[in-house]
Amino acid sequence: MIVLLVAVAVACENLKLGDAGLSQSPETSGATLDTLFATIQDADKVLTSAYYYLPYGLISDFDNKMGSDILESITDHFISNKNTEGNGPNELYYNGALSASISGNGAGGEAYRFGAKRGSASLAETDYYAIRYAWFFLENADKIPTASKNYDAALIERKKAEAKMCMAIAYANMFRYVGGVPILTHALSLEEEMNFPRATFAETVDYIVDLCDEAAEVLPWTVSDTEKGRLTKAAAIGLKLRILCFAASPTFNSDTPWHPDAADWESMGKYVRYADHYDANLWKRAKDAADEFFALNAGMQYRLVQATPTGVGGVTTPRDYRLAYREGYFRRSSSEVIISTRKSNSTSYLDKHIELQNNYGCGGSLEWVNKFPWADGTPFPENWDWDAKQSTWPEQPFFKPDPTGQIKAPGIETRDPRLYENLCVPGDVWKDGKQGKCFYNHWNHQNNCPGFLMMKYVLQQDADRDYPPHWCLMRYAEILLNAAEAYNEYEGAPSAFAYQCVDQVRARVGLKPLEDIYPDGMTQEQFRKALILERELEFGFEEVRWFDMVRWGLNEAFTTKLHGLLSWGETDGRTMAASFTYGNPQNGAPAVFEAQPPRAWYRDFDTKWYLCPIPTSEVMKGYGMTQNPGW
């Protein structure tokens, strides 16, 4: 039975919820409807289940997304060499084998598998689970007796608004992967006909926006420390801004269909794009949402985490900037967090990210590394000659010696601090306080490693991870960059406000403003490119790059061959190497090499990859879902 039906086609009277209120379905325990909604505290277990099934981007046992891999692996940022059965990047994407009829273990490897079980595991996409529990809560919350303990009518209304936001987040997650989806407007019963027509692209956008607006009318702007993780008005408006920017982007808002199959409006086009003309007002909707957010955030309850200077004489060091950036995405309590999804307090949840790097030759691409500017924000040269004599370089590309001798190996960072927080570069410490094994002669180097390791969520010391994990589904930096985007696209040129939004993100890590980089001003196109780049630098491994590649139609990001960097340390990593050469000094191999494995996209790219295929088994069931272009 499809997840869509499993998730909703149970009579409300038969729904039961285990005490955990989390991993079990409500049919599995002896609770009755009266006991489920006997008090607000009891009913909150149902709502907690809706929260539990919201998207979670960390590798975990709760799903089998991409065969326990990461979405970044199918972008131009990262290369996976996790050659295990069911691994999505290697078995479905790099070789171009993904189709609508994947079954068996391979069914766990898609970026998103709409409506169906993942592989041989009893796991599936959980968006309709979240929607199910949310509707169940909405339709029964008013049954809580007014005479019950701690009854609070206003609190019930707030929790109903939270349920709407859970639905909005779930629909938004599906929408970005597959386009229009079936919309469920109530909790279904077994007596109903199982007919769920696919909503159009525009209808799905409007439904998500309406849910956000309805929830925003009730929800508080912020919550107390004891309620962190609860959804807020800021989450509602922030999600609305994200979806409106996504939908207004060129792939879906254009005079030209993004795929030949999408040209047929009635059979396919209306489900995956707007009509056959560009509409600037779609960007105005996004701009208005940005204005709404900033007007409500006048007190700066949500703000970027700023560095605390620790250098001599109050100087802010590169590491200070680095730690401020880390605080923004990693800490649940950060002033930057707008939407946080949480599965557990166990710090072991980050172990699978370490396993991905420990056991397989995975790593970041040189193409991404080269995009990170110098520490002051000046662009890193596109034509950097990694094989040249280092004495000819204007600066060391990763670390330079500390002239005071206070900072030992690897030295002082020379690039954008976000580079070091996203990737372990040659010489940096990684995971356990020891030098990362990304350089070629490291005693534990792995074949096919492209020369850079994932640092985000892995971090540098064991103690760095000794903190309850969460998935920061949205943070304030995204609000700023989404707002800058909406302003630039609607107004046709970067305004002072658009510059200000981007410059705030850059200043937090010590980079000079864009105006200093482009003293003669920027065109709309130049600002757009700079903004897309800023998103690459800011949101690595936060499931942003894939959707940017899709919505902006960045075909070069799909088709450009990716490379690695061969670096060689003065020691093999058992003791800290303080200096590095590039290339292999023993056999003369060049510094830059083509990363493995290659991708079928390099030679044969089809825009069908923008949206995920709908499993043929789901389409054939005839409940209303249709196939996506090209699949």
Side-chain angles (χ1 to χ4, degrees):
M1 202 174 209
I2 64 169
V3 168
L4 177 60
L5 301 187
V6 170
V8 295
V10 180
C12 289
E13 292 77 8
N14 296 327
L15 288 174
K16 301 170 184 178
L17 187 67
D19 289 339
L22 297 176
S23 59
Q24 292 184 331
S25 297
E27 297 87 348
T28 61
S29 77
T32 66
L33 188 64
D34 287 342
T35 57
L36 282 171
F37 291 90
T39 66
I40 293 177
Q41 289 68 35
D42 292 326
D44 201 43
K45 294 179 181 179
V46 179
L47 181 58
T48 298
S49 294
Y51 270 97
Y52 178 80
Y53 287 118
L54 294 180
Y56 193 71
L58 299 177
I59 304 174
S60 71
D61 293 326
F62 299 107
D63 60 39
N64 196 37
K65 183 175 185 176
M66 307 214 77
S68 294
D69 213 309
I70 55 177
L71 190 61
E72 211 85 6
S73 291
I74 58 172
T75 73
D76 55 342
H77 286 177
F78 197 78
I79 299 102
S80 173
N81 277 287
K82 188 181 180 183
N83 294 304
T84 58
E85 186 177 26
N87 177 261
N90 285 277
E91 294 193 351
L92 299 179
Y93 288 84
Y94 295 168
N95 59 9
L98 181 64
S99 74
S101 57
I102 297 296
S103 60
N105 287 330
E110 301 98 325
Y112 194 88
R113 184 171 176 81
F114 180 84
K117 187 172 73 171
R118 284 189 173 277
S120 60
S122 58
L123 300 168
E125 303 295 356
T126 58
D127 293 310
Y128 278 116
Y129 290 168
I131 293 166
R132 169 200 194 176
Y133 283 109
W135 269 121
F136 186 54
F137 182 87
L138 280 168
E139 295 190 347
N140 290 282
D142 289 338
K143 296 176 182 178
I144 299 172
T146 57
S148 62
K149 183 179 179 181
N150 298 324
Y151 180 84
D152 185 332
L155 182 59
I156 292 173
E157 290 304 307
R158 173 185 157 184
K159 290 183 180 294
K160 287 163 68 175
E162 291 178 34
K164 290 181 179 180
M165 272 305 299
C166 287
M167 289 196 289
I169 292 170
Y171 278 117
N173 190 52
M174 288 190 282
F175 171 72
R176 292 201 297 170
Y177 280 111
V178 302
V181 296
I183 292 173
L184 309 180
T185 57
H186 61 289
L188 305 177
S189 70
L190 290 173
E191 291 73 29
E192 292 187 60
E193 180 182 357
M194 299 308 163
N195 180 31
F196 311 99
R198 184 178 188 178
T200 68
F201 186 90
E203 289 169 344
T204 305
V205 172
D206 290 345
Y207 185 69
I208 295 168
V209 169
D210 288 345
L211 284 172
C212 291
D213 284 340
E214 291 173 14
E217 291 181 0
V218 178
L219 292 173
W221 184 244
T222 59
V223 294
S224 65
D225 289 344
T226 59
E227 292 186 300
K228 291 290 187 183
R230 292 281 186 180
L231 290 164
T232 62
K233 187 192 299 281
I237 298 171
L239 183 66
K240 177 170 69 170
L241 174 58
R242 170 190 282 182
I243 289 303
L244 289 174
C245 282
F246 183 86
S249 300
T251 293
F252 310 109
N253 176 25
S254 171
D255 298 334
T256 306
W258 58 267
H259 190 277
D261 290 357
D264 188 330
W265 179 253
E266 283 302 320
S267 68
M268 193 170 287
K270 65 184 179 182
Y271 300 116
V272 297
R273 63 185 176 91
Y274 281 112
D276 285 330
H277 61 274
Y278 170 76
D279 185 356
N281 285 324
L282 295 175
W283 283 113
K284 185 179 186 303
R285 292 181 72 187
K287 175 182 172 296
D288 290 346
D291 290 342
E292 183 180 6
F293 188 98
F294 291 121
L296 291 165
N297 197 46
M300 295 301 293
Q301 295 92 337
Y302 299 95
R303 60 192 180 278
L304 297 178
V305 178
Q306 300 299 323
T308 300
T310 63
V312 177
V315 172
T316 304
T317 69
R319 181 164 180 80
D320 296 337
Y321 288 124
R322 181 173 174 173
L323 293 179
Y325 173 67
R326 180 186 300 178
E327 183 86 8
Y329 74 86
F330 192 73
R331 294 280 182 173
R332 290 180 172 186
S333 58
S334 163
S335 62
E336 200 164 328
V337 174
I338 293 175
I339 302 178
S340 167
T341 55
R342 307 170 182 190
K343 301 290 187 181
S344 169
N345 289 331
S346 173
T347 58
S348 66
Y349 269 44
L350 299 173
D351 290 350
K352 287 186 178 293
H353 286 271
I354 298 172
E355 176 186 316
L356 185 69
Q357 298 285 268
N358 256 353
N359 300 341
Y360 311 98
C362 307
S365 70
L366 182 60
E367 279 70 22
W368 187 25
V369 170
N370 285 344
K371 292 179 180 180
F372 285 87
W374 294 113
D376 67 351
T378 303
F380 187 76
E382 293 182 4
N383 59 347
W384 187 270
D385 187 353
W386 290 96
D387 291 305
K389 291 183 178 180
Q390 296 190 41
S391 60
T392 66
W393 290 349
E395 178 66 277
Q396 288 298 309
F398 300 120
F399 297 99
K400 63 183 178 182
D402 178 12
T404 69
Q406 294 179 341
I407 299 176
K408 307 301 181 183
I412 299 175
E413 297 92 334
T414 59
R415 302 278 289 279
D416 182 339
R418 294 172 295 188
L419 168 59
Y420 307 91
E421 276 299 296
N422 279 288
L423 293 171
C424 178
V425 302
D428 210 352
V429 298
W430 177 74
K431 187 190 69 162
D432 54 6
K434 299 176 182 178
Q435 225 159 19
K437 56 185 178 180
C438 54
F439 54 97
Y440 190 80
N441 65 321
H442 188 284
W443 69 273
N444 196 26
H445 183 268
Q446 291 172 314
N447 289 337
N448 291 328
C449 175
F452 308 97
L453 302 172
M454 178 181 180
M455 182 72 83
K456 215 166 207 177
Y457 309 114
V458 175
L459 306 179
Q460 297 180 281
Q461 307 280 350
D462 292 338
D464 292 338
R465 299 184 298 277
D466 191 18
Y467 187 83
H470 78 133
W471 177 245
C472 190
L473 193 145
M474 180 178 292
R475 56 190 178 90
Y476 185 63
E478 183 184 344
I479 300 295
L480 290 168
L481 297 185
N482 284 347
E485 177 181 299
Y487 265 77
N488 185 56
E489 296 304 319
Y490 179 65
E491 296 182 343
S495 63
F497 180 73
Y499 276 114
Q500 178 187 348
C501 289
V502 180
D503 289 344
Q504 285 184 57
V505 176
R506 293 171 62 84
R508 186 262 293 277
V509 288
L511 274 58
K512 63 178 65 174
L514 284 178
E515 297 93 324
D516 288 358
I517 306 296
Y518 299 90
D520 296 329
M522 303 176 74
T523 65
Q524 181 188 44
E525 177 64 21
Q526 287 174 323
F527 188 84
R528 180 187 299 138
K529 289 181 178 179
L531 185 55
I532 292 172
L533 172 60
E534 200 64 38
R535 294 170 68 88
E536 286 193 76
L537 310 180
E538 180 72 19
F539 300 122
F541 302 107
E542 296 182 50
E543 297 194 343
V544 169
R545 177 60 173 172
W546 172 259
F547 296 113
D548 281 356
M549 289 166 59
V550 167
R551 68 192 182 99
W552 289 104
L554 303 179
N555 289 355
E556 285 189 4
F558 289 95
T559 60
T560 298
K561 290 183 179 180
L562 302 181
H563 295 84
L565 178 68
L566 194 162
S567 56
W568 195 276
E570 64 174 354
T571 72
D572 68 357
R574 288 183 173 89
T575 58
M576 293 287 285
S579 64
F580 292 82
T581 57
Y582 299 93
N584 188 328
Q586 294 188 343
N587 61 17
V592 177
F593 60 92
E594 186 175 334
Q596 299 297 317
R599 302 184 183 186
W601 291 341
Y602 296 165
R603 64 180 184 275
D604 184 23
F605 178 71
D606 188 324
T607 55
K608 70 178 184 179
W609 293 93
Y610 288 173
L611 295 182
C612 293
I614 308 303
T616 301
S617 57
E618 295 304 305
V619 177
M620 296 300 291
K621 287 171 182 173
Y623 60 84
M625 193 59 181
T626 63
Q627 191 52 268
N628 275 332
W631 298 106

